[in-house]
Amino acid sequence: MRENHEDIVIDRNDIKRPSGNGKLQGIIGISVIALILIMAAAALIAHLTGMSLTDFEVNEKAGSVIYDSLPDSIENIEKYSSGVVMVTDTAVDYLDSEGNHLSSNPHTFSQPCVDIKNTTLILYDKGGLSFRIEKGTAVYDTFTVSKPIVTASIGNNRNYAYVLNDDGGYQSHLYVYNLQGNKLFEWGSSADYCIETALSDNGRSIAVALLGVKNGEYVSKINFFNFRDDKALYSIELPDCTVFGLEFINSKTVAALTDNGIFVINKNGEYEKTAEYSPVEILHSSSSFRGLKSVATALHGNLKTTQVSVFNKKFEELYKLDFNSEVYSVRTSDKYTAVIQNGIISVYNNKGEMTGSVISDERVEDAAFSGNSLYALTVSGIYCFDVNSTYDKTAVSEESTTDTSAEATETTTGQSDIITYG
């Protein structure tokens, strides 16, 4: 690695705008009128009921297992359209709301990581040399690089970013491309280690979280770049913390999630701490795209005194929930927050009101919202629940066991060797 390199914007190509295909004016007119009518109907429903059209979807399999043939290892599950996407140790699998297998895209990544925006995702091998883009349940493009991948992110505006370690003489080497393969931005840091990136919704900016050393101590930095400028719009330091997440609130405001609180940074690089906790207190966090955010903490490090703080999309606190037992995980959507404890899932709306719950006879490993459905991953499969209902799976299991015992006793009576189950 060359020591004389400075942190610098290296090169950038202007975005090539593809030429549009001509369409018949009559077809365009009819399509526009139909779209206006649909939008008007959706707006009327939302105004009268406070619900969107997707909220009226009813899953007939709510409360039942929708996928019971699990791979050996599932890294995580996430919302995808009206179903879920599973990242396993061997593939990316897509399921619809009824549990039907839509697609399975194999991979050979040793440490698969994913970032998703709507129906597009970037899957990368952390520490490896490969990544790919998937759209509409299919593989869109695959890439191989020459140095280890540190992190990657997908944008909402058809672009993506990835960072390589020790590449081209830089400690961290950032690249940004659009889906057509045009390079939008490139930047290198000679000393700092890039750990997170986030792309703005308008596709014109990127926020970068860096970890460096100053006066013998580790320090976190946030750099904000506009793709049209050669220098960072701002570069700030956040002492005594490590950044584990970045998110754009709007095109110029960024939230940094750290192990020592949440910071909201404005366009001038001025920041405000909107949530405060210590590294020994934070347990879990969840942030849905354009939706609710939540952080679970153990007060003073005590797992028997836990608290879940819920924020709106601007990272303004909405409410807190207190529990006297350990919180295993939290999950959020645009309207709901799920608190996962030992065999219990509690669902709350954006006002802090409990809308539904699940009592399970097995541990919930992960969960994901999709509309008004909550998909819960357990050791026996993925179950689907309605967020506005209450389920007791232990009662179902006990009833099933009782029925099985009675049937087994009846069928074995009269045999020379009587076997009774139960």
Side-chain angles (χ1 to χ4, degrees), residues 174-398:
L174 167 70
Y175 298 89
V176 183
Y177 284 84
N178 63 18
L179 294 188
Q180 289 72 42
N182 301 315
K183 185 169 64 177
L184 307 180
F185 189 74
E186 184 179 357
W187 177 79
S189 176
S190 61
D192 295 329
Y193 189 77
C194 180
I195 52 179
E196 288 288 338
T197 63
L199 291 156
S200 63
D201 278 2
N202 62 11
R204 301 173 184 174
S205 307
I206 189 169
V208 180
L210 303 160
L211 188 63
V213 178
K214 183 177 181 181
N215 299 327
E217 296 182 354
Y218 285 104
V219 61
S220 291
K221 301 178 182 178
I222 306 293
N223 286 8
F224 185 101
F225 294 99
N226 187 311
F227 296 158
R228 295 182 179 275
D229 298 330
D230 292 333
K231 295 182 179 180
L233 181 63
Y234 62 73
S235 180
I236 64 171
E237 294 183 358
L238 298 176
D240 302 323
C241 64
T242 301
V243 179
F244 64 81
L246 286 175
E247 185 169 333
F248 272 85
I249 295 176
N250 55 48
S251 61
K252 297 181 179 180
T253 306
V254 176
L257 288 77
T258 81
D259 62 351
N260 201 7
I262 298 175
F263 300 83
V264 173
I265 311 163
N266 67 19
K267 63 180 181 180
N268 300 317
E270 301 164 339
Y271 61 84
E272 176 186 2
K273 200 172 188 178
T274 61
E276 189 165 359
Y277 44 78
S278 69
V280 299
E281 290 181 317
I282 184 169
L283 298 174
H284 313 281
S285 69
S286 178
S287 181
S288 62
F289 178 53
R290 294 177 178 171
L292 299 178
K293 331 291 179 182
S294 63
V295 174
T297 55
L299 301 182
H300 309 294
N302 183 2
L303 293 177
K304 299 299 182 181
T305 308
T306 52
Q307 189 174 79
V308 174
S309 301
V310 179
F311 308 85
N312 62 18
K313 62 182 180 181
K314 296 181 180 180
F315 283 88
E316 300 167 336
E317 185 177 291
L318 297 177
Y319 58 86
K320 291 181 183 292
L321 301 168
D322 294 309
F323 301 91
N324 57 5
S325 59
E326 183 177 356
V327 173
Y328 288 177
S329 183
V330 287
R331 277 292 200 165
T332 58
S333 71
D334 56 340
K335 296 180 181 180
Y336 301 100
T337 296
V339 180
I340 301 172
Q341 295 173 282
N342 186 18
I344 300 175
I345 307 175
S346 304
V347 180
Y348 302 85
N349 61 19
N350 55 12
K351 296 180 181 179
E353 302 165 338
M354 182 184 289
T355 65
S357 64
V358 178
I359 301 176
S360 177
D361 54 354
E362 54 187 341
R363 175 165 175 163
V364 178
E365 302 293 338
D366 200 358
F369 284 102
S370 186
N372 278 354
S373 296
L374 176 69
Y375 297 84
L377 170 64
T378 72
V379 293
S380 64
I382 295 179
Y383 290 81
C384 180
F385 302 101
D386 188 317
V387 298
N388 295 305
S389 299
T390 299
Y391 302 86
D392 188 346
K393 289 179 77 273
T394 59
V396 175
S397 298
E398 291 173 359

Side-chain angles (χ1 to χ4, degrees), residues 135-146:
K135 290 182 58 182
T137 76
V139 176
Y140 177 78
D141 209 346
T142 59
F143 305 88
T144 301
V145 293
S146 59

